[in-house]
Amino acid sequence: MSQEILGKFESGQSISQTAERTGFRSVRRLRQRSLLRRERLHRVLNILGFLPHHYGRTIDFEKRVGQFKNNLEPKIAYFQNDSGKFEFLFKDSFEEMVADFRKSQPQLFFKNKKGKEAKIPYDWTLYYLRKKAISKMISKEELAWLLLHFNQKRGYYQLRGEEEAVEENKSVKYCALRVEKVEPAEKGKNDDIWYNVYLENGWIYRRSSKTFLDWAGLVKEFIVTEDLNPDGTIKTDKEGKEKRSFKAVNSEKDWIAIKKSTEEKILDSGKTVGTFIYETLLQKPDQKIRGKLIRTIERKFYKDELRLILEAQKNFHPELQDKKLYQQCIDELYPFNDAHRTSLADRNFVNLFLDDIIFYQRPLKSKKSLISDCPFEYRVFKTESGEWKKSPIKAIAKSNPLYQEFRILQWLKNLRIFKKDPKEDV
């Protein structure tokens, strides 16, 4: 070991020598699987004829099937014109989106002193299309853009089914609140001053600081913990004030509360994720999306939205209901896997995109081979040559509750109590 690792062990930090290498390997695996999903999606979209010309010609469909050709990886929404400049491909949809903004935010289109209007990003067209595609027809190329986008944004999915610890007598939630005003309250220790921070919903957050908190008008993020009574109401102190504690968002565990808060907002709106984002932008064009409006959320939100989009678009595009094209796609993806081709034969493109390509999740590998053989019990069988052989039975897993109960009973069975002095009573 290096002196640095030895020093960490001496200070009590049990860091494996291979931990960093294992982390890099995990990143490589995630990237490789993401590229594999994209390659499979390219192959299916090419058979359907949904890929834009400038994008499809940069993909190799002969040798390295589904992969980009060397030193080529264009953006699907931008193409290079004859003069060598890049143009946005979906300008018709962009103009439709701009018309929505002219109605809801007309002040954006007033010319400033320099005679220029506010610019709306082309990339916001993606959120407009996610809303439009649920009920109206979009082009094949636009649908391909959405599918490749969902291939990147898949949401959080806990495969192992680990449950979060929930305390019945406490409520933990994420809040982003605007500060109305800040007032000094009293002096604290070490020249600190306690301040009362008045939030927009009437809450008061107490915070000590050596310098004045110039927070008025700013939006601050907190993890708010409330003590609850058995009936669900908030507990109060002797003065009748509700018991509520605040913590700034800076811990790795805080993302759980932020995730739940984001999911609750989407559920309360009754909209899909894409519609929720687009309509928020219509009301607040300066809203930051990534990391602010939408944080980590469950995969089911994205999956449900894409299912609605595909179910609607298959009524407008006959290719998505063509059985011959569907069979051709299956043969392209699984030329040697007869069993899987048979299992997919009775399904459709909606299931193929959702469950077999974009949101496919590799099942966990069985580790039964690591369980040792039982030393006491075995089965006897006769081979074709007439020879008798013993086949040991696998022992019970140590994580099994029955084995844990056995260990406790065995410990009690082996427990012995000895007297140090025969005259003393036990």
Side-chain angles (χ1 to χ4, degrees), residues 227-419:
D227 295 332
L228 304 177
N229 294 311
D231 59 353
T233 58
I234 302 175
K235 290 183 179 180
T236 56
D237 55 17
K238 296 179 180 179
E239 299 177 358
K241 297 180 180 179
E242 295 179 339
K243 289 185 177 181
R244 186 178 291 111
S245 61
F246 296 81
K247 185 179 70 170
V249 178
N250 55 10
S251 172
E252 293 182 358
K253 295 182 180 179
D254 291 343
W255 74 272
I256 298 176
I258 297 172
K259 180 173 84 70
K260 288 183 177 180
S261 174
T262 307
E263 292 172 352
E264 288 174 3
K265 289 179 183 178
I266 296 172
L267 289 173
D268 292 341
S269 69
K271 304 166 185 173
T272 61
V273 182
T275 305
F276 176 75
I277 295 173
Y278 179 68
E279 294 190 355
T280 302
L281 289 174
L282 282 177
Q283 302 302 320
K284 301 177 182 178
D286 59 344
Q287 173 68 54
K288 188 177 184 298
I289 301 173
R290 292 186 63 181
K292 289 294 181 181
L293 180 62
I294 296 295
R295 305 286 184 101
T296 302
I297 57 175
E298 291 285 344
R299 180 169 297 177
K300 63 180 181 180
F301 288 90
Y302 292 105
K303 194 171 183 179
D304 292 342
E305 180 183 357
L306 184 57
R307 187 183 299 278
L308 290 173
I309 291 173
L310 290 173
E311 290 290 351
Q313 293 305 307
K314 74 178 185 181
N315 298 323
F316 302 112
H317 300 289
E319 293 89 348
L320 295 177
Q321 298 188 37
D322 193 322
K323 288 292 184 181
K324 292 183 178 179
L325 282 177
Y326 177 69
Q327 187 62 45
Q328 189 177 346
C329 291
I330 296 175
D331 295 339
E332 169 71 19
L333 294 177
Y334 305 103
F336 307 110
N337 194 338
D338 297 335
H340 197 60
R341 285 205 310 272
T342 304
S343 66
L344 293 175
D346 298 332
R347 301 186 181 182
N348 53 32
F349 276 109
V350 176
N351 300 110
L352 183 67
F353 283 125
L354 289 175
D355 303 324
D356 216 66
I357 300 178
I358 296 177
F359 297 106
Y360 171 76
Q361 189 73 32
R362 178 183 62 83
L364 294 175
K365 293 181 180 179
S366 173
K367 294 298 179 182
K368 289 185 178 180
S369 59
L370 301 180
I371 300 175
S372 60
D373 297 332
C374 179
F376 306 108
E377 192 174 357
Y378 55 86
R379 291 191 177 93
V380 180
F381 65 95
K382 190 175 184 179
T383 62
E384 295 180 355
S385 60
E387 182 182 359
W388 290 92
K389 286 191 174 182
K390 294 180 180 179
S391 175
I393 298 174
K394 291 291 182 182
I396 194 170
K398 290 183 179 180
S399 60
N400 194 300
L402 295 175
Y403 179 76
Q404 297 299 323
E405 182 181 358
F406 162 74
R407 288 185 63 187
I408 295 172
L409 295 174
Q410 186 182 50
W411 181 81
L412 289 173
K413 176 70 176 176
N414 296 334
L415 185 63
R416 298 291 184 270
I417 300 176
F418 299 94
K419 294 180 180 180

Side-chain angles (χ1 to χ4, degrees), residues 155-169:
Y156 174 80
Y157 181 65
Q158 178 54 266
L159 186 61
R160 298 182 184 275
E162 296 176 1
E163 297 182 358
E164 303 164 3
V166 179
E167 297 185 36
E168 296 180 356
N169 60 342

Side-chain angles (χ1 to χ4, degrees), residues 13-145:
Q13 300 180 35
S14 57
I15 300 176
S16 170
Q17 194 173 6
T18 59
E20 184 179 4
R21 187 177 65 184
T22 303
F24 287 133
R25 184 167 64 247
S26 298
V27 172
R28 290 197 303 271
R29 284 175 177 170
L30 289 175
R31 180 180 180 275
Q32 190 270 339
R33 290 168 185 166
S34 176
L35 293 177
L36 180 59
R37 289 195 304 270
R38 188 179 68 179
E39 292 163 14
R40 288 160 54 82
L41 195 55
H42 283 165
R43 295 162 71 179
V44 173
L45 293 174
N46 180 58
I47 293 173
L48 290 171
F50 281 16
L51 291 176
H53 177 67
H54 79 280
Y55 188 83
R57 68 185 180 186
T58 62
I59 303 173
D60 188 350
F61 292 107
E62 296 180 359
K63 296 181 180 179
R64 299 163 64 238
V65 185
Q67 299 182 29
F68 286 110
K69 297 176 182 178
N70 291 334
N71 303 319
L72 293 174
E73 190 170 343
K75 292 184 178 180
I76 190 172
Y78 294 87
F79 70 97
Q80 198 170 13
N81 58 23
D82 297 335
S83 61
K85 294 183 178 180
F86 286 94
E87 290 187 21
F88 188 66
L89 182 61
F90 310 112
K91 284 190 176 180
D92 292 340
S93 296
F94 173 73
E95 293 298 334
E96 293 175 7
M97 180 186 67
V98 170
D100 285 350
F101 275 93
R102 287 186 183 275
K103 293 179 182 177
S104 60
Q105 301 290 339
Q107 72 278 4
L108 292 178
F109 300 92
F110 295 152
K111 293 184 178 181
N112 57 19
K113 295 180 181 179
K114 295 182 179 179
K116 295 182 179 180
E117 296 179 350
K119 292 184 178 180
I120 297 177
Y122 282 126
D123 292 341
W124 284 5
T125 311
L126 183 69
Y127 304 113
Y128 169 73
L129 290 174
R130 285 172 65 174
K131 177 187 176 182
K132 179 182 177 181
I134 295 175
S135 56
K136 299 179 182 179
M137 178 181 176
I138 62 175
S139 68
K140 300 174 183 178
E141 293 79 8
E142 290 171 339
L143 182 56
W145 188 23

